[in-house]
Amino acid sequence: MTAKTDTRESEPELGAAGSQLSTAPKEEISLPSLGPLGWARWFWRQLTSMRVALILLFLLSLGAVPGSLIPQTSINPVKVDEFKKQHDVLGPLYDKLGMFHVYSSVWFSAIYLLLFISLIGCIIPRTWQFVGQLRGRPPGAPRRLTRLPAYATWRTTAEPEQVLDAARRTLKKRRFRTHVVGSAVASEKGYLREAGNLVFHIALIVMLVAFAVGNLWKSEGGKLIAEGDGFSNSLTQFDDFKSGSFFDTDDLAPFGFQLDKFVATYERGGPQNGTPRIFRADVTYFDGADGKERKTSIKVNEPLDIGGDRVYLLSHGYAPEVTVKDGTGKVVYEGAVPFLPQDQKNFTSSGVVKVPGAKTKDGKRNQLGFQGFFVPTFGGKGSGSMFSVFPALDNPRLTLTAYHGDLGVDSGLPQNVYQLETKNLKQYKQGGRAVAQMMAPGQTMKLPNGDGSIKFDGVKQWASFTISHQPGNEIALGGAVAALLGLAGSLFIQRRRVWVRAEPGPDGVTVVEIAGLGRSESPKLPEELADLAYALQPAAPQAPEPASEEPGESASEDSAAEAPDPEAEDSAEPSDSAGNADPSEGARA
């Protein structure tokens, strides 16, 4: 038995055997006729080519980079304003280019839509072609199997029909699609390669659709809640809220929750002093208008799934509890006031207290405002300025400065609840000095002229949450998994065809030829062919070599063998091996 490998291919010799190993459409070079219809046809062919689809996919990935590096208006408009103030040249330029709203910009949307159209235009014709290949049969064997990349041959005493029947059974056991064409068995395997290729590209479309659905029907809002307070999923309850173009606020799911307690512990001592160890919000929630209340905990990266939404824990801080009395002795404000951390490590925080309903002792309107700092752990009088030395509530202090006048809350203009507008306010002074006091829990600061007082009652903790409704996540996940599976199939599965031919030789002995053709060069194809030859040995054992010829006849035949064959391309044609061949020998690369 002899075997050879030849990497040369001759399209006229292979014919249909070497065609349609891939669903990639053939590129036809033809210049479009001048005119709108011709240019439209040319543009469509270019757009629906796989080359352009890959370029658009690369541009989409490249276009997403600014959205990660440059502040986005939809995420943090405050940072966008700060960026514009700090960059006089880049700020206006980025604004014109849409860099502050990348994912809703015209150029990003154009790339997105073109990629979507390109993928659909690529997949539809490839899918129909692949379906046609599945419905068809493997093509018949080429006239010269010796021209295929993997080839083996031997002589056997078995009848050709017996060899073909054994070959067909063996190939079917190996999951080849087979049928007999003339004196050869034609078989093919590896259709999952093209199926994986199509699944990969279809999965890309599914992911694009999922991302579009997620952006058009999404909603996201934030809420800061102090211990003991709650939240109901309605538009008026959000501190900030943004949604997609097609989201309807009437579709907000009916659920809510209450922050029962926030638990935070920190490392004490050592190089990681002050590092958080436990960061947990214990809540009581209900799902549905008549839903039963349940208790759970929300942690970082462990959101609460409720009503089709997710509640994420973002940050926490402290809310000093104060009681404010006006000049008449009436309690005009009582509750916890959230202070925002200025130092994320030790939680030195700032905040304001606004009391619009206060009056003087003679009953005149006198709005009060307090601006101050809070530290959970005060270092003592010798520690310097008002800064916290540890994030836990070890030695809390509240320092307030008092104002009175017009807070501006009746102007109708929106105000920041964490800032005090002092334009129309006067600072309380006593003896020429501003009225300010550092207080421990339980202490009271009295205002001049009998205008009232403010008492520091205690401290609560607050937590900020993001309530996110993001449809399409499950679709995107399924598309990503399908894309990985399809890519793995297209990379690791080889599409190949194998032919087994059995014909009577000149001396009446059957000559068996096996050959294989793959879509790409692979050492596995010759190995598979050798294994097939070995499996056929019991049904097609090798025949003994013919007896030695007489000296005169041998010399005559040797002389004839020296004459060149006009139909042969080279002298490397397969021949029977001398002696007994090893059945395991097959095609070699």
Side-chain angles (χ1 to χ4, degrees), residues 124-135:
I124 291 177
R126 293 173 69 103
T127 301
W128 285 116
Q129 185 176 355
F130 182 61
V131 170
Q133 294 178 19
L134 290 178
R135 296 178 62 183

Side-chain angles (χ1 to χ4, degrees), residues 196-505:
N197 192 16
L198 292 174
V199 167
F200 172 75
H201 291 92
I202 293 174
L204 289 182
I205 294 181
V206 172
M207 293 173 65
L208 290 176
V209 171
F211 295 151
V213 170
N215 281 289
L216 293 175
W217 280 275
K218 74 175 182 179
S219 69
E220 186 174 270
K223 181 64 176 179
L224 187 149
I225 305 175
E227 290 177 328
D229 293 338
F231 166 80
S232 179
N233 192 32
S234 61
L235 191 60
T236 57
Q237 289 281 301
F238 288 96
D239 294 334
D240 58 86
F241 184 84
K242 57 180 181 291
S243 63
S245 303
F246 294 163
F247 181 81
D248 188 355
T249 55
D250 294 336
D251 295 335
L252 289 170
F255 68 84
F257 62 93
Q258 175 181 298
L259 178 60
D260 299 328
K261 185 179 180 181
F262 188 87
V263 180
T265 61
Y266 306 90
E267 184 73 18
R268 295 183 179 271
Q272 295 185 341
N273 182 52
T275 303
R277 294 306 181 197
I278 298 178
F279 200 76
R280 186 184 75 236
D282 296 332
V283 300
T284 301
Y285 71 95
F286 65 91
D287 186 3
D290 301 324
K292 182 180 179 181
E293 290 188 347
R294 297 180 175 87
K295 293 184 178 294
T296 188
S297 296
I298 305 176
K299 302 178 182 178
V300 177
N301 298 326
E302 295 183 14
L304 170 64
D305 291 325
I306 177 174
D309 295 359
R310 285 192 172 187
V311 181
Y312 295 89
L313 173 63
L314 294 186
S315 60
H316 95 291
Y318 294 101
E321 295 182 278
V322 297
T323 300
V324 181
K325 295 182 180 180
D326 63 4
T328 62
K330 180 182 177 182
V331 176
V332 289
Y333 184 86
E334 184 177 14
V337 183
F339 275 45
L340 300 181
Q342 307 300 311
D343 172 17
Q344 294 296 335
K345 181 179 180 181
N346 294 320
F347 287 92
T348 299
S349 307
S350 65
V352 298
V353 180
K354 298 180 182 181
V355 188
K359 296 180 181 180
T360 61
K361 58 184 178 181
D362 54 1
K364 294 182 179 180
R365 186 177 181 183
N366 185 37
Q367 296 182 351
L368 301 177
F370 302 88
Q371 192 170 30
F373 288 91
F374 172 79
V375 291
T377 303
F378 180 54
K381 293 183 178 180
S383 62
S385 57
M386 183 72 172
F387 287 101
S388 176
V389 297
F390 196 75
L393 282 173
D394 293 344
N395 189 18
R397 290 291 187 274
L398 176 64
T399 299
L400 295 176
T401 301
Y403 295 83
H404 68 104
D406 184 8
L407 294 173
V409 295
D410 300 328
S411 64
L413 298 176
Q415 285 190 355
N416 191 331
V417 296
Y418 303 107
Q419 293 180 355
L420 185 64
E421 182 60 53
T422 60
K423 180 179 180 181
N424 298 320
L425 294 175
K426 294 182 179 180
Q427 190 175 19
Y428 276 109
K429 293 185 178 181
Q430 194 170 24
R433 301 181 62 182
V435 176
Q437 182 178 336
M438 176 185 290
M439 297 178 291
Q443 293 182 344
T444 302
M445 180 177 75
K446 294 185 177 181
L447 302 178
N449 306 322
D451 284 348
S453 63
I454 181 170
K455 181 181 179 182
F456 181 24
D457 298 320
V459 182
K460 286 185 177 182
Q461 296 191 77
W462 59 260
S464 64
F465 301 89
T466 292
I467 297 89
S468 176
H469 176 71
Q470 192 75 32
N473 285 343
E474 294 79 7
I475 301 176
L477 177 61
V481 173
L484 291 176
L485 294 176
L487 183 62
S490 63
L491 290 177
F492 299 109
I493 298 176
Q494 185 187 18
R495 181 90 174 267
R496 65 269 195 200
R497 290 167 178 166
V498 174
W499 294 272
V500 179
R501 176 178 287 158
E503 293 179 339

Side-chain angles (χ1 to χ4, degrees), residues 59 62-64 66 97-99 101-102 104-112:
L59 291 177
L62 195 64
L97 295 176
M99 292 298 181
H101 51 91
V102 169
S104 59
S105 62
V106 175
W107 57 269
F108 190 87
S109 301
I111 297 174
Y112 188 93

Side-chain angles (χ1 to χ4, degrees), residues 3-62:
K4 77 160 193 169
T5 299
D6 184 4
T7 58
R8 295 171 300 175
E9 295 183 4
S10 177
E11 192 68 26
E13 292 291 343
L14 298 182
S19 65
Q20 295 185 344
L21 278 172
S22 171
T23 57
K26 295 182 179 180
E27 294 187 2
E28 298 179 1
I29 302 177
S30 59
L31 295 176
S33 59
L34 295 177
L37 182 60
W39 283 110
R41 187 185 300 113
W42 177 85
F43 178 78
W44 175 254
R45 288 179 180 176
Q46 297 301 316
L47 180 62
T48 56
S49 65
M50 191 57 65
R51 177 178 61 255
V52 173
L54 292 176
I55 293 175
L56 290 173
L57 184 61
F58 173 75
L59 291 177
L60 190 71
S61 303
L62 195 64

